[in-house]
Each structure stands twice: as structure tokens, then as C-alpha cells.
Amino acid sequence: QKEVEQNSGPLSVPEGAIASLNCTYSDRGSQSFFWYRQYSGKSPELIMSIYSNGDKEDGRFTAQLNKASQYVSLLIRDSQPSDSATYLCAVWPGGTSYGKLTFGQGTILTVHP
Amino acid sequence: DAGVIQSPRHEVTEMGQEVTLRCKPISGHDYLFWYRQTMMRGLELLIYFNNNVPIDDSGMPEDRFSAKMPNASFSTLKIQPSEPRDSAVYFCASLAGASDTQYFGPGTRLTVL
């Protein structure tokens, strides 16, 4: 079983729709959760981090965390073509391994006009 | 700030040759990470340093890979001898210990023929 799994893509949504990206993790003790966006041919960049159960909103992005279900998601409202990218879920297990992230395989999102 | 700097951006070499990848982290960041990204395996952590000291090298695939960080502003990842299966994009990232944001460099695309 992979440590961090993301819903298989690619995901295609029309402009203006809500894009929903999902991620599950195996280490129940994980502390911190991140969403990175990676445009084709570019490097990953952090767009959201979440540490507590519930929702965290930042503009059009909402991260949701459910530690009991070991599940984290990213919602993108009013999707734009510029949101087309690969979205990577990353998990930090906590403890002494500060900064050591495990990444999911990524979900390719395409927003079509 | 110039961000994380990596060189070269592209490297094409022949099997058996030595390859050295270079990274300059963001000034003041005390963590440095080396990642490898392929279509098959996704983004994998190879090794990371804290205050120039290697903390975890469990992701280094084999003895052909080595990494050093002689000072706070420079790190190298060396592959000797290189093999075609080492072809990938290698990213360097840095992190300030008081933050949770890893900043990635532009990456080095390595092709081993």
C-alpha cells in the first residue's frame, strides 16, 4: 500500500466548476498536510497547508482534513484554465523527521473553457 | 531573493559517466532536500540536510548516489557511474526551520543514454 494515495486522474472540469481532489494517507500519526501545484515542466509550489480537522479556505481554494478517515482534499471553486496543472498531496508524519514529506503521485487537472 | 538555484538545468550524458548536480538554497534556510521525479515513481525524497548535516539518506537508491553540503549555501548530488534508469528530473528544495514551506528549485533534467 502506498503511503499517500491520490484519486486517479486525469480530472477534467469546465471553467467555473468546482474541482475536487482527494488524498488518503496510511500513517495515522501524520501531523501536517500540504497541497502543491506543479505546472508542466515547472517545479512544485505550495498552495495550501492544513494541520487540524476541518476546512481551511484561501481564496478559491479550500483544504479539508479528516484525520479519523485519514483523508485530505482540495476544492477549487470557480475553476479557471490557469488552474490546469498537476496537484500533489504531501504528508509530514511528525516527530523528529521535520520537513520530510511523502508525496502522492499527483492528479492532473484540466480546466477547459 | 533569487530563490533556489540549480545547475545545470539540463544534462545529457552517457552511461557510466559521472554526473554532478548543484544546488544553492535560499539564504537563511537551514534545511535542504534533494528529490527525484519520474513518471513511474512520482516525486521521491532522496536525502535531506539540516545545518549542512545529512539527516536522512534512506531514499538514496544505491551507493552510486552521494550528496554533500560543504556549507550553508551549496550542495551537490553526485551519481557515479550513471545508468539510463537514473534519467529523471532532480529537484532541490530548501526550508527555513521556522516555516513549513519548502521552496523548490527549477530542477535539473538528467538524461543518461
Side-chain angles (χ1 to χ4, degrees):
Chain A
Q1 180 187 3
K2 293 182 181 177
E3 295 181 40
V4 179
E5 293 201 42
Q6 297 185 235
N7 54 325
S8 59
L11 178 65
S12 180
V13 300
E15 184 174 356
I18 296 176
S20 178
L21 305 166
N22 303 315
C23 173
T24 58
Y25 58 94
S26 60
D27 185 345
R28 184 170 290 278
S30 296
Q31 298 289 318
S32 305
F33 308 86
F34 306 90
W35 284 99
Y36 282 78
R37 178 177 62 199
Q38 186 175 23
Y39 291 116
S40 180
K42 302 296 185 182
S43 55
E45 60 175 332
L46 181 67
I47 56 172
M48 289 287 284
S49 56
I50 188 167
Y51 311 99
S52 304
N53 282 330
D55 295 0
K56 178 181 179 182
E57 188 174 315
D58 184 1
R60 296 186 296 110
F61 298 93
T62 299
Q64 300 174 316
L65 175 61
N66 183 326
K67 289 187 177 181
S69 299
Q70 296 175 237
Y71 174 92
V72 59
S73 66
L74 179 70
L75 299 178
I76 307 174
R77 291 182 302 281
D78 188 24
S79 296
Q80 300 297 309
S82 59
D83 295 326
S84 298
T86 298
Y87 290 80
L88 300 167
C89 173
V91 176
W92 175 52
T96 58
S97 58
Y98 185 79
K100 182 179 179 180
L101 298 178
T102 299
F103 284 83
Q105 281 286 96
T107 299
I108 299 172
L109 171 66
T110 301
V111 181
H112 52 87
Chain B
D1 200 321
V4 177
I5 298 172
Q6 291 188 247
S7 65
R9 295 293 306 276
H10 302 273
E11 177 81 28
V12 180
T13 189
E14 292 189 349
M15 182 174 62
Q17 296 298 305
E18 178 179 296
V19 175
T20 299
L21 311 181
R22 297 173 175 80
C23 175
K24 176 179 169 56
I26 293 172
S27 178
H29 284 194
D30 48 353
Y31 285 83
L32 184 140
F33 305 83
W34 281 102
Y35 292 91
R36 177 173 67 177
Q37 188 173 41
T38 61
M39 288 294 293
M40 288 297 296
R41 300 178 67 88
L43 189 62
E44 304 174 282
L45 177 65
L46 300 177
I47 184 171
Y48 76 99
F49 296 82
N50 177 220
N51 292 323
N52 314 335
V53 176
I55 302 301
D56 188 331
D57 65 355
S58 59
M60 296 285 261
E62 47 197 275
D63 291 345
R64 297 185 297 107
F65 286 68
S66 62
K68 294 182 180 180
M69 192 165 186
N71 57 62
S73 59
F74 183 66
S75 177
T76 60
L77 177 68
K78 186 174 293 187
I79 308 172
Q80 166 63 18
S82 58
E83 296 183 3
R85 59 191 169 122
D86 301 330
S87 297
V89 179
Y90 291 81
F91 289 105
C92 174
S94 70
L95 165 75
S99 167
D100 62 7
T101 303
Q102 290 192 24
Y103 292 89
F104 282 74
T108 295
R109 182 174 295 276
L110 173 66
T111 302
V112 183
L113 303 175

